[in-house]
Amino acid sequence: MADALEQAKKLIPAEVRMISGCQDAQTSADVSNVASFQLPDPAGMSGGACTSALLKILYADHKAQTDLTFQEVLVKMRSILSSGKFTQIPQLTSSRPLDVKNPFEIVPDGCTGTRRAILIGINYVGMQGELSGCHNDVMNIKEYVMDVWGFKEENITVLMDDGKHADPTRANILKAYTDLVNASEDGDAAFCHYSGHGGKLRDQDGDEADGFDETLIPLDYASTGQIRDDDVYSTLVGPMKSGVTVTCIMDCCHSGTVLDLPYMFKADGKHEEMVVHPEFDFGPLTALASHFLGAEVMNNPTIAKIIDMITKWLTGRAKNGQGFSAIIDTVMKFGMNLIDSLQPQQTGESSKKDD
């Protein structure tokens, strides 16, 4: 656990938490009537089952002035979903080993910084697979974070395909995440909500245990492609500064590990605490360093500095908008150059290799 925490701190400087509506292998439901969820002022009749169940719990908690724990919130979500015949199992993932028996919070106690939010709702209007409740999800969650957590209108970015807000295209979504990273500083709180389709694509770089990348599906996916979890990590999760608390709610299919966070609590009735995700791979940075440098160099006390250098390369390339495959290529070249520099210098005959 200690080794995992040290690696997590290097790869994900910020404290990032995510509530997902289901596991990677599951789909997330859209409900046609949210009246049964008893929201104080629902924006419409339909909505995502995950968002609606969560808001029902959190508004009741706020009204009763109780302090439900993270565990209690997720278990209650599962109970509500189950009573509605939904099979999806909510889960909480995090960049740090969060105590799920602590009170649920979006903004940590003592936070004095700015509170910013990115809210994305995609109904795919007029398209195959059109949804009906994602716009309502955004408006309901917006009201909640403003009323309960003090987020201000000017610090909330909304992307919706409703003709009134900026469209949730691939470019606009990634730009919103990048802008959030650039604006956030130590002591700030960030909140991200996504309601729309989620998917799975064949993994391209070998970093997924199940062989698939989890994805968000932007409005213009047909022409620009889906947003892979690698892209979300490179744009939002990895570059976010230390000292920032980020809370995300992903109300979409196959969303269990879409942020690639190492710690997990699953509301399946079997888990009582957060554990290291059994399939989480802290590579490819450490794996690449081991592969290129070998055991002798890996045991050298300077290896921590080398890995820090690689991590900085990763973060820098991510901020410049490179995808994960391009980042891997960069790290590979760095590793090869490092190996060359560590080779013992030969005397006499030239050590230059033929091209």
Side-chain angles (χ1 to χ4, degrees):
M1 180 73 80
D3 289 343
L5 180 58
E6 289 306 310
Q7 293 184 75
K9 287 180 178 178
K10 289 179 180 179
L11 298 175
I12 309 173
E15 183 162 339
V16 184
R17 306 97 167 256
M18 179 187 72
I19 292 177
S20 53
C22 59
Q23 302 174 81
D24 284 345
Q26 293 183 306
T27 57
S28 185
D30 203 35
V31 295
S32 59
N33 190 344
V34 298
S36 61
F37 290 90
Q38 300 174 339
L39 304 185
D41 185 22
M45 291 295 291
S46 56
C50 167
T51 300
S52 299
L54 179 61
L55 286 178
K56 176 180 181 179
I57 296 163
L58 295 180
Y59 267 122
D61 181 45
H62 179 64
K63 184 177 180 180
Q65 295 185 333
T66 57
D67 288 319
L68 290 177
T69 66
F70 281 94
Q71 181 181 24
E72 289 169 336
V73 168
L74 264 75
V75 169
K76 285 178 178 289
M77 283 180 66
R78 176 69 189 114
S79 176
I80 292 173
L81 293 169
S82 180
S83 67
K85 308 301 182 184
F86 301 117
T87 60
Q88 61 200 76
I89 299 175
Q91 63 182 40
L92 171 69
T93 54
S94 177
S95 63
R96 304 290 184 268
L98 181 70
D99 186 348
V100 297
K101 293 178 173 57
N102 283 343
F104 177 87
E105 61 183 11
I106 289 177
V107 178
D109 287 341
C111 175
T112 58
T114 304
R115 307 175 185 197
R116 299 180 180 87
I118 306 294
L119 311 179
I120 301 168
I122 316 176
N123 275 348
Y124 310 91
V125 178
M127 302 169 64
Q128 185 176 3
E130 181 173 349
L131 298 174
S132 60
C134 299
H135 296 171
N136 297 336
D137 284 345
V138 166
M139 302 315 295
N140 288 332
I141 208 80
K142 180 182 177 183
E143 181 180 1
Y144 170 73
V145 297
M146 292 179 69
D147 288 351
V148 177
W149 292 102
F151 284 71
K152 296 182 179 179
E153 181 84 40
E154 60 266 26
N155 293 324
I156 298 177
T157 297
V158 175
L159 303 178
M160 290 198 300
D161 54 338
D162 61 351
K164 301 175 183 178
H165 299 84
D167 280 337
T169 61
R170 176 188 176 89
N172 285 346
I173 291 173
L174 294 179
K175 183 180 184 301
Y177 288 156
T178 299
D179 290 346
L180 179 64
V181 168
N182 291 338
S184 297
E185 299 291 345
D186 185 357
D188 290 350
F191 177 78
C192 298
H193 178 271
Y194 174 88
S195 181
H197 280 306
K200 295 169 74 73
L201 290 175
R202 183 71 64 180
D203 178 29
Q204 294 180 323
D205 43 46
D207 66 332
E208 296 287 347
D210 64 356
F212 289 91
D213 282 327
E214 288 68 47
T215 67
L216 306 180
I217 301 181
L219 182 63
D220 58 345
Y221 71 93
S223 59
T224 65
Q226 300 177 38
I227 300 175
R228 294 176 182 264
D229 51 7
D230 295 341
D231 299 317
V232 179
Y233 172 84
S234 298
T235 307
L236 174 65
V237 178
M240 187 61 78
K241 301 176 187 71
S242 175
V244 180
T245 301
V246 184
T247 303
C248 301
I249 298 173
M250 295 298 186
D251 194 352
C252 59
C253 299
H254 312 297
S255 57
T257 62
V258 73
L259 293 193
D260 281 338
L261 300 173
Y263 297 94
M264 175 191 69
F265 169 76
K266 192 182 299 184
D268 57 0
K270 301 176 183 178
H271 290 73
E272 290 295 325
E273 61 183 6
M274 185 164 273
V275 298
V276 176
H277 195 296
E279 296 181 351
F280 189 85
D281 181 7
F282 279 102
L285 297 183
T286 303
L288 278 171
S290 178
H291 173 73
F292 285 122
L293 304 179
E296 181 178 351
V297 177
M298 285 297 290
N299 292 331
N300 190 292
T302 63
I303 190 60
K305 182 177 180 180
I306 292 172
I307 293 178
D308 282 341
M309 292 171 65
I310 296 175
T311 303
K312 290 177 181 177
W313 275 64
L314 171 66
T315 303
R317 294 304 181 270
K319 287 184 177 179
N320 289 332
Q322 282 189 308
F324 202 77
S325 296
I327 293 170
I328 292 299
D329 289 341
T330 301
V331 176
M332 288 175 68
K333 291 175 183 176
F334 172 81
M336 293 303 295
N337 289 336
L338 188 55
I339 288 176
D340 288 342
S341 69
L342 292 171
Q343 294 296 326
Q345 295 299 313
Q346 298 183 16
T347 59
E349 188 175 299
S350 173
S351 62
K352 182 177 180 181
K353 298 179 181 178
D354 294 334
D355 293 334

